[in-house]
Amino acid sequence: MLLSRALGRGYASPRARWPMESALLRQDALWVFDEVQLMDVGLRTAVQLQAFHPPREIAPARPLVSWWMSATLQPKWLHTVDFAAHLPALEQTAVRIPPSDRQGPLFAARKPLRLVDLPRDNDREAAAWARLVLDEHHQAEAGAYGRITLAIANTVDDARALHSALQAALKKQHDRPAPQLHLIHSRFRPHERRTWREQFLNREACTPGVDRILVATQVVEAGVDISATALVTQLAPWPSLVQRFGRAARYGGLARVTVVDRQLSERAALPYEEGQLQAARRVLEGLTDVGLTSLEALEDHLAAHDPAQLARLYPYDPLHTLTRRDLDDLFDTGPDLTGADLDVSRFIRSGDDRDLHVWWVELGPDESPAPLSNPRAQRSARSRSRTQAHG
């Protein structure tokens, strides 16, 4: 929403406001981009917008300042043809934690790693994965923040299958009380998701005596403040794994971490690429712990001795780059000769978004739709999410 306005084509914004919003966002402003690993091509657009702004010596009264933040941020992600000259100065002001200051509960947390192969088998895989999750949950030590197991799948279908298998397994478990079981993914309706943070996705919900299993997708990689005592995750690209590891022993202590390799290839590896999974697998095979100290030491070593491997772990090559000419063309907010507007979506997000929400109004047998001639959809209204399959 903000990038489209900075480019003078604000989504859901009246045409008359486009130039005003663009002017307000591109001067006398501080942009804070958090979790930039999720921004896709939008990160490159933000860097280019910063590069095109006049330096402070020329326009000292109306600066534009950008902060880029992430646990997995790589300097090369900010390298563009127009911003390259600014990178040396940026390196001097980058905020990092030096090795001498890597102390305290977060850096002392231990996260022993186990890598498990679970070849794909549609008939038995979910049940085997459910048994693995339950075993890890029962072996995890309950502490000051309870016993919480987080199981992360790469797709909604996999998460649903695992959740169903866990429900079936827990019904057969009679030797101990069943833990709470919750399913988390992006296709729940807004009014259903609203209660999650209050019930189990916040630090206050991690208390002594809590016995809980959370089955989720990538939605928990960022913006979720919980501390799992056991983490079971499917193999994913390295940046995603680092974010997932951060949900385990988040407040210190000990957490068991298990990475499940389903040995997927080609289309079966979607939404990721097979090469990304293989690169992450090779690194995991050389690790016994994925605590913060271990991960920082690994990346320091790769940066000094194997930068090519570090680049494979953190690939970033967006298809489109905003140029000065593109930005100048957007200065004219009028439509072209065909009545169409310049499309800025390629500078904001790539890929095909095939999710949609369907909204409807229920009418009783004797009700007439006449009073609803212009109903207005609300995010809290009853709706269902539907995904169009590829192909």
PDB file of all heavy atoms in Angstrom, residues 206-229:
ATOM      1  N   CYS A 206       2.501 -18.013  27.024  1.00  0.00           N
ATOM      2  CA  CYS A 206       3.539 -19.017  27.305  1.00  0.00           C
ATOM      3  C   CYS A 206       3.807 -19.015  28.814  1.00  0.00           C
ATOM      4  O   CYS A 206       4.690 -18.302  29.304  1.00  0.00           O
ATOM      5  CB  CYS A 206       4.812 -18.700  26.522  1.00  0.00           C
ATOM      6  SG  CYS A 206       4.587 -18.598  24.732  1.00  0.00           S
ATOM      7  N   THR A 207       3.042 -19.782  29.546  1.00  0.00           N
ATOM      8  CA  THR A 207       3.108 -19.786  31.003  1.00  0.00           C
ATOM      9  C   THR A 207       3.348 -21.201  31.521  1.00  0.00           C
ATOM     10  O   THR A 207       3.115 -22.186  30.811  1.00  0.00           O
ATOM     11  CB  THR A 207       1.793 -19.243  31.592  1.00  0.00           C
ATOM     12  OG1 THR A 207       0.700 -20.035  31.100  1.00  0.00           O
ATOM     13  CG2 THR A 207       1.571 -17.793  31.175  1.00  0.00           C
ATOM     14  N   PRO A 208       3.818 -21.328  32.769  1.00  0.00           N
ATOM     15  CA  PRO A 208       4.020 -22.670  33.337  1.00  0.00           C
ATOM     16  C   PRO A 208       2.724 -23.475  33.306  1.00  0.00           C
ATOM     17  O   PRO A 208       1.638 -22.954  33.556  1.00  0.00           O
ATOM     18  CB  PRO A 208       4.452 -22.369  34.779  1.00  0.00           C
ATOM     19  CG  PRO A 208       5.013 -20.987  34.733  1.00  0.00           C
ATOM     20  CD  PRO A 208       4.218 -20.260  33.700  1.00  0.00           C
ATOM     21  N   GLY A 209       2.859 -24.739  32.971  1.00  0.00           N
ATOM     22  CA  GLY A 209       1.691 -25.605  32.919  1.00  0.00           C
ATOM     23  C   GLY A 209       1.023 -25.692  31.569  1.00  0.00           C
ATOM     24  O   GLY A 209       0.178 -26.571  31.347  1.00  0.00           O
ATOM     25  N   VAL A 210       1.386 -24.809  30.649  1.00  0.00           N
ATOM     26  CA  VAL A 210       0.799 -24.863  29.307  1.00  0.00           C
ATOM     27  C   VAL A 210       1.288 -26.113  28.581  1.00  0.00           C
ATOM     28  O   VAL A 210       2.476 -26.436  28.604  1.00  0.00           O
ATOM     29  CB  VAL A 210       1.171 -23.598  28.503  1.00  0.00           C
ATOM     30  CG1 VAL A 210       0.878 -23.799  27.023  1.00  0.00           C
ATOM     31  CG2 VAL A 210       0.402 -22.399  29.022  1.00  0.00           C
ATOM     32  N   ASP A 211       0.377 -26.819  27.954  1.00  0.00           N
ATOM     33  CA  ASP A 211       0.690 -28.025  27.187  1.00  0.00           C
ATOM     34  C   ASP A 211       0.013 -27.863  25.825  1.00  0.00           C
ATOM     35  O   ASP A 211      -1.194 -28.047  25.691  1.00  0.00           O
ATOM     36  CB  ASP A 211       0.169 -29.261  27.916  1.00  0.00           C
ATOM     37  CG  ASP A 211       0.663 -30.557  27.289  1.00  0.00           C
ATOM     38  OD1 ASP A 211       1.657 -30.510  26.528  1.00  0.00           O
ATOM     39  OD2 ASP A 211       0.051 -31.614  27.537  1.00  0.00           O
ATOM     40  N   ARG A 212       0.806 -27.503  24.784  1.00  0.00           N
ATOM     41  CA  ARG A 212       0.199 -27.038  23.542  1.00  0.00           C
ATOM     42  C   ARG A 212       1.015 -27.470  22.327  1.00  0.00           C
ATOM     43  O   ARG A 212       2.252 -27.431  22.352  1.00  0.00           O
ATOM     44  CB  ARG A 212       0.083 -25.519  23.588  1.00  0.00           C
ATOM     45  CG  ARG A 212      -0.562 -24.870  22.397  1.00  0.00           C
ATOM     46  CD  ARG A 212      -0.597 -23.344  22.597  1.00  0.00           C
ATOM     47  NE  ARG A 212      -1.394 -22.967  23.760  1.00  0.00           N
ATOM     48  CZ  ARG A 212      -1.039 -22.015  24.626  1.00  0.00           C
ATOM     49  NH1 ARG A 212       0.108 -21.378  24.468  1.00  0.00           N
ATOM     50  NH2 ARG A 212      -1.829 -21.721  25.640  1.00  0.00           N
ATOM     51  N   ILE A 213       0.338 -27.845  21.247  1.00  0.00           N
ATOM     52  CA  ILE A 213       0.961 -28.125  19.957  1.00  0.00           C
ATOM     53  C   ILE A 213       0.345 -27.180  18.934  1.00  0.00           C
ATOM     54  O   ILE A 213      -0.884 -27.116  18.792  1.00  0.00           O
ATOM     55  CB  ILE A 213       0.753 -29.592  19.520  1.00  0.00           C
ATOM     56  CG1 ILE A 213       1.423 -30.554  20.504  1.00  0.00           C
ATOM     57  CG2 ILE A 213       1.314 -29.813  18.115  1.00  0.00           C
ATOM     58  CD1 ILE A 213       1.197 -32.023  20.172  1.00  0.00           C
ATOM     59  N   LEU A 214       1.195 -26.461  18.225  1.00  0.00           N
ATOM     60  CA  LEU A 214       0.752 -25.539  17.187  1.00  0.00           C
ATOM     61  C   LEU A 214       1.213 -26.064  15.838  1.00  0.00           C
ATOM     62  O   LEU A 214       2.404 -26.303  15.634  1.00  0.00           O
ATOM     63  CB  LEU A 214       1.330 -24.136  17.414  1.00  0.00           C
ATOM     64  CG  LEU A 214       1.049 -23.485  18.770  1.00  0.00           C
ATOM     65  CD1 LEU A 214       1.766 -22.142  18.859  1.00  0.00           C
ATOM     66  CD2 LEU A 214      -0.446 -23.313  18.985  1.00  0.00           C
ATOM     67  N   VAL A 215       0.289 -26.260  14.933  1.00  0.00           N
ATOM     68  CA  VAL A 215       0.604 -26.664  13.558  1.00  0.00           C
ATOM     69  C   VAL A 215       0.401 -25.439  12.674  1.00  0.00           C
ATOM     70  O   VAL A 215      -0.690 -24.857  12.653  1.00  0.00           O
ATOM     71  CB  VAL A 215      -0.290 -27.820  13.084  1.00  0.00           C
ATOM     72  CG1 VAL A 215       0.049 -28.211  11.645  1.00  0.00           C
ATOM     73  CG2 VAL A 215      -0.136 -29.019  14.011  1.00  0.00           C
ATOM     74  N   ALA A 216       1.444 -25.042  11.958  1.00  0.00           N
ATOM     75  CA  ALA A 216       1.384 -23.769  11.241  1.00  0.00           C
ATOM     76  C   ALA A 216       2.089 -23.870   9.898  1.00  0.00           C
ATOM     77  O   ALA A 216       2.742 -24.870   9.580  1.00  0.00           O
ATOM     78  CB  ALA A 216       2.016 -22.660  12.079  1.00  0.00           C
ATOM     79  N   THR A 217       1.921 -22.798   9.125  1.00  0.00           N
ATOM     80  CA  THR A 217       2.674 -22.621   7.880  1.00  0.00           C
ATOM     81  C   THR A 217       3.661 -21.474   8.099  1.00  0.00           C
ATOM     82  O   THR A 217       3.970 -21.100   9.225  1.00  0.00           O
ATOM     83  CB  THR A 217       1.722 -22.301   6.714  1.00  0.00           C
ATOM     84  OG1 THR A 217       0.968 -21.122   7.037  1.00  0.00           O
ATOM     85  CG2 THR A 217       0.768 -23.452   6.456  1.00  0.00           C
ATOM     86  N   GLN A 218       4.116 -20.868   7.000  1.00  0.00           N
ATOM     87  CA  GLN A 218       5.108 -19.800   7.081  1.00  0.00           C
ATOM     88  C   GLN A 218       4.592 -18.557   7.792  1.00  0.00           C
ATOM     89  O   GLN A 218       5.387 -17.652   8.086  1.00  0.00           O
ATOM     90  CB  GLN A 218       5.571 -19.393   5.674  1.00  0.00           C
ATOM     91  CG  GLN A 218       6.219 -20.499   4.876  1.00  0.00           C
ATOM     92  CD  GLN A 218       5.220 -21.283   4.041  1.00  0.00           C
ATOM     93  OE1 GLN A 218       4.053 -21.434   4.398  1.00  0.00           O
ATOM     94  NE2 GLN A 218       5.678 -21.800   2.907  1.00  0.00           N
ATOM     95  N   VAL A 219       3.307 -18.484   8.100  1.00  0.00           N
ATOM     96  CA  VAL A 219       2.758 -17.273   8.722  1.00  0.00           C
ATOM     97  C   VAL A 219       3.376 -16.992  10.083  1.00  0.00           C
ATOM     98  O   VAL A 219       3.296 -15.865  10.580  1.00  0.00           O
ATOM     99  CB  VAL A 219       1.223 -17.360   8.860  1.00  0.00           C
ATOM    100  CG1 VAL A 219       0.565 -17.419   7.498  1.00  0.00           C
ATOM    101  CG2 VAL A 219       0.810 -18.562   9.703  1.00  0.00           C
ATOM    102  N   VAL A 220       4.018 -17.997  10.712  1.00  0.00           N
ATOM    103  CA  VAL A 220       4.612 -17.772  12.038  1.00  0.00           C
ATOM    104  C   VAL A 220       6.091 -17.409  11.953  1.00  0.00           C
ATOM    105  O   VAL A 220       6.747 -17.256  12.980  1.00  0.00           O
ATOM    106  CB  VAL A 220       4.440 -19.018  12.932  1.00  0.00           C
ATOM    107  CG1 VAL A 220       2.968 -19.318  13.160  1.00  0.00           C
ATOM    108  CG2 VAL A 220       5.155 -20.229  12.340  1.00  0.00           C
ATOM    109  N   GLU A 221       6.617 -17.269  10.744  1.00  0.00           N
ATOM    110  CA  GLU A 221       8.048 -16.971  10.618  1.00  0.00           C
ATOM    111  C   GLU A 221       8.394 -15.573  11.115  1.00  0.00           C
ATOM    112  O   GLU A 221       9.538 -15.318  11.495  1.00  0.00           O
ATOM    113  CB  GLU A 221       8.485 -17.116   9.156  1.00  0.00           C
ATOM    114  CG  GLU A 221       8.557 -18.547   8.686  1.00  0.00           C
ATOM    115  CD  GLU A 221       9.051 -18.670   7.252  1.00  0.00           C
ATOM    116  OE1 GLU A 221       9.497 -17.656   6.674  1.00  0.00           O
ATOM    117  OE2 GLU A 221       9.004 -19.792   6.708  1.00  0.00           O
ATOM    118  N   ALA A 222       7.460 -14.658  11.092  1.00  0.00           N
ATOM    119  CA  ALA A 222       7.721 -13.283  11.512  1.00  0.00           C
ATOM    120  C   ALA A 222       6.524 -12.747  12.274  1.00  0.00           C
ATOM    121  O   ALA A 222       5.381 -13.115  11.991  1.00  0.00           O
ATOM    122  CB  ALA A 222       8.017 -12.393  10.297  1.00  0.00           C
ATOM    123  N   GLY A 223       6.803 -11.874  13.246  1.00  0.00           N
ATOM    124  CA  GLY A 223       5.737 -11.195  13.960  1.00  0.00           C
ATOM    125  C   GLY A 223       5.020 -12.033  14.997  1.00  0.00           C
ATOM    126  O   GLY A 223       3.959 -11.653  15.461  1.00  0.00           O
ATOM    127  N   VAL A 224       5.577 -13.175  15.395  1.00  0.00           N
ATOM    128  CA  VAL A 224       4.952 -14.048  16.384  1.00  0.00           C
ATOM    129  C   VAL A 224       5.894 -14.188  17.573  1.00  0.00           C
ATOM    130  O   VAL A 224       7.027 -14.655  17.423  1.00  0.00           O
ATOM    131  CB  VAL A 224       4.629 -15.438  15.789  1.00  0.00           C
ATOM    132  CG1 VAL A 224       4.114 -16.368  16.871  1.00  0.00           C
ATOM    133  CG2 VAL A 224       3.609 -15.309  14.672  1.00  0.00           C
ATOM    134  N   ASP A 225       5.443 -13.791  18.739  1.00  0.00           N
ATOM    135  CA  ASP A 225       6.288 -13.792  19.931  1.00  0.00           C
ATOM    136  C   ASP A 225       5.910 -14.961  20.825  1.00  0.00           C
ATOM    137  O   ASP A 225       5.151 -14.831  21.787  1.00  0.00           O
ATOM    138  CB  ASP A 225       6.133 -12.466  20.684  1.00  0.00           C
ATOM    139  CG  ASP A 225       7.116 -12.342  21.843  1.00  0.00           C
ATOM    140  OD1 ASP A 225       8.048 -13.165  21.911  1.00  0.00           O
ATOM    141  OD2 ASP A 225       6.950 -11.426  22.677  1.00  0.00           O
ATOM    142  N   ILE A 226       6.440 -16.152  20.501  1.00  0.00           N
ATOM    143  CA  ILE A 226       6.261 -17.338  21.332  1.00  0.00           C
ATOM    144  C   ILE A 226       7.611 -18.026  21.471  1.00  0.00           C
ATOM    145  O   ILE A 226       8.539 -17.786  20.697  1.00  0.00           O
ATOM    146  CB  ILE A 226       5.233 -18.326  20.740  1.00  0.00           C
ATOM    147  CG1 ILE A 226       5.698 -18.817  19.362  1.00  0.00           C
ATOM    148  CG2 ILE A 226       3.853 -17.705  20.670  1.00  0.00           C
ATOM    149  CD1 ILE A 226       4.841 -19.942  18.801  1.00  0.00           C
ATOM    150  N   SER A 227       7.716 -18.885  22.472  1.00  0.00           N
ATOM    151  CA  SER A 227       8.963 -19.618  22.703  1.00  0.00           C
ATOM    152  C   SER A 227       8.643 -21.105  22.790  1.00  0.00           C
ATOM    153  O   SER A 227       8.106 -21.589  23.798  1.00  0.00           O
ATOM    154  CB  SER A 227       9.635 -19.135  23.999  1.00  0.00           C
ATOM    155  OG  SER A 227      10.879 -19.777  24.190  1.00  0.00           O
ATOM    156  N   ALA A 228       8.941 -21.829  21.717  1.00  0.00           N
ATOM    157  CA  ALA A 228       8.639 -23.259  21.662  1.00  0.00           C
ATOM    158  C   ALA A 228       9.731 -24.059  22.350  1.00  0.00           C
ATOM    159  O   ALA A 228      10.921 -23.726  22.262  1.00  0.00           O
ATOM    160  CB  ALA A 228       8.488 -23.711  20.210  1.00  0.00           C
ATOM    161  N   THR A 229       9.336 -25.112  23.046  1.00  0.00           N
ATOM    162  CA  THR A 229      10.302 -26.027  23.640  1.00  0.00           C
ATOM    163  C   THR A 229      10.705 -27.122  22.664  1.00  0.00           C
ATOM    164  O   THR A 229      11.701 -27.819  22.881  1.00  0.00           O
ATOM    165  CB  THR A 229       9.717 -26.657  24.914  1.00  0.00           C
ATOM    166  OG1 THR A 229       8.409 -27.176  24.621  1.00  0.00           O
ATOM    167  CG2 THR A 229       9.591 -25.615  26.016  1.00  0.00           C
TER     168      THR A 229
END
